[in-house]
Amino acid sequence: MANPKKFIITLDGPASTGKSSLAKRLSNKLGYIHIDSGSMYRAATLFALRLDPERILRPNIFVKYLSEIKIDFKKNHEEQKIFLNNEDVSHEIRKTYITNEVSNVAKIPELRTFLVNKQKEFGKNKGVIMDGRDIGTIVFPNAECKFFLTAKVEVRAKRRYLEQLKQGINQTYKMVLDNLIMRDGLDTKRVNSPLKKAVDAIEIDVSNMTLDDVYKKLLTHIKKIK
Ligand code: DC
């Protein structure tokens, strides 16, 4: 049975606004489940590319195999791990070849329907914080608490570039910036559930805020609802 005290929190916005880190921190604080919906699109991208020996995306073939995709999340020492057909792919899905293809996979309508249904399932008992692009608009239009984070693309690129340096990913700032501009374009212009602020979402421009400041601001809003 749904817990009446818990609700659904949605956190949408373009790439590298800190959504996942914030959602993770909030979920630990509130005792909520955190679902990073972007990682589901990434896992599906890995699945799609593995169907082809040359790792070329073939949407017509891919859609025939959707029912063979099983995605689970498991928490291991505060770390959220994602499993694709029982294989831990948490590390693999962050690699550049996935990042470069994921927006093309995410625009396939059959995949979106498939993953949105799974995402709704995760929220059926409430107590969920989910981050992504269409969570407040399409996945949980009736969520009690919705946020939409924005930030200048240069600020996001710098953040992502520094993060990747730490992880040993070898991309220049310019490559990161170009990739974000490309993904922003694909995410906002696609026909199916584009990146868009829900009318009832609280919009926060995080360009000049630390992650800590944003976290405190989100928590203040959430506490008002509780
Ligand atoms: O948040 P991320 O960068 O890991 O997301 C990867 C891609 O997945 C991103 O380019 C857009 C897509 N995505 C989506 O279309 N809808 C979502 N709810 C989440 C992500």
Side-chain angles (χ1 to χ4, degrees), residues 12-176:
D12 288 306
S16 292
T17 38
K19 298 185 302 293
S20 285
S21 312
L22 290 159
K24 180 176 151 192
R25 203 167 150 192
L26 288 168
S27 74
N28 286 334
K29 170 83 180 167
L30 302 168
Y32 276 34
I33 295 167
H34 167 215
I35 303 291
D36 170 358
S37 67
S39 69
M40 298 173 76
Y41 286 94
R42 286 173 179 270
T45 304
L46 177 60
F47 181 91
L49 295 179
R50 280 178 174 174
L51 288 175
D52 186 89
E54 285 161 33
R55 302 273 157 112
I56 293 168
L57 176 65
R58 304 199 192 275
N60 306 350
I61 296 176
F62 171 54
V63 294
K64 294 193 182 124
Y65 287 88
L66 287 182
S67 62
E68 290 185 20
I69 300 179
K70 187 165 89 74
I71 294 175
D72 303 293
F73 290 92
K74 286 178 199 158
K75 214 166 182 181
N76 187 1
H77 304 292
E78 303 274 293
E79 273 308 309
Q80 179 89 275
K81 300 280 180 196
I82 180 164
F83 289 76
L84 169 65
N85 295 334
N86 302 321
E87 173 192 350
D88 182 355
V89 293
S90 315
H91 183 65
E92 192 66 21
I93 61 165
R94 299 289 151 197
K95 292 190 175 166
T96 308
Y97 77 100
I98 299 289
T99 303
N100 287 344
E101 203 62 88
V102 62
S103 294
N104 290 321
V105 175
K107 68 182 182 196
I108 299 172
E110 292 89 341
L111 174 70
R112 294 208 75 84
T113 306
F114 178 76
L115 289 186
V116 166
N117 285 337
K118 282 192 181 297
Q119 289 154 5
K120 284 182 193 282
E121 187 73 11
F122 283 125
K124 73 176 190 296
N125 290 330
K126 306 234 173 175
V128 165
I129 174 155
M130 193 175 291
D131 66 282
R133 305 292 190 284
D134 60 342
I135 311 303
T137 50
I138 304 287
V139 183
F140 298 121
N142 299 322
E144 294 83 350
C145 182
K146 299 182 185 179
F147 296 106
F148 191 83
L149 304 187
T150 60
K152 292 187 186 77
V153 70
E154 293 80 8
V155 174
R156 293 187 279 127
K158 190 172 166 202
R159 226 176 255 174
R160 174 65 55 110
Y161 168 69
L162 294 174
E163 233 172 63
Q164 291 193 351
L165 266 189
K166 268 198 228 152
Q167 296 164 356
I169 298 174
N170 207 2
Q171 273 199 321
T172 62
Y173 167 78
K174 175 82 169 59
M175 284 158 86
V176 177

Side-chain angles (χ1 to χ4, degrees), residues 183-200:
R183 283 166 67 199
D184 283 357
L186 288 170
D187 289 347
T188 49
K189 288 186 196 112
R190 69 168 172 247
V191 184
N192 285 293
S193 39
L195 168 65
K196 199 170 77 178
K197 177 189 161 313
V199 280
D200 52 349

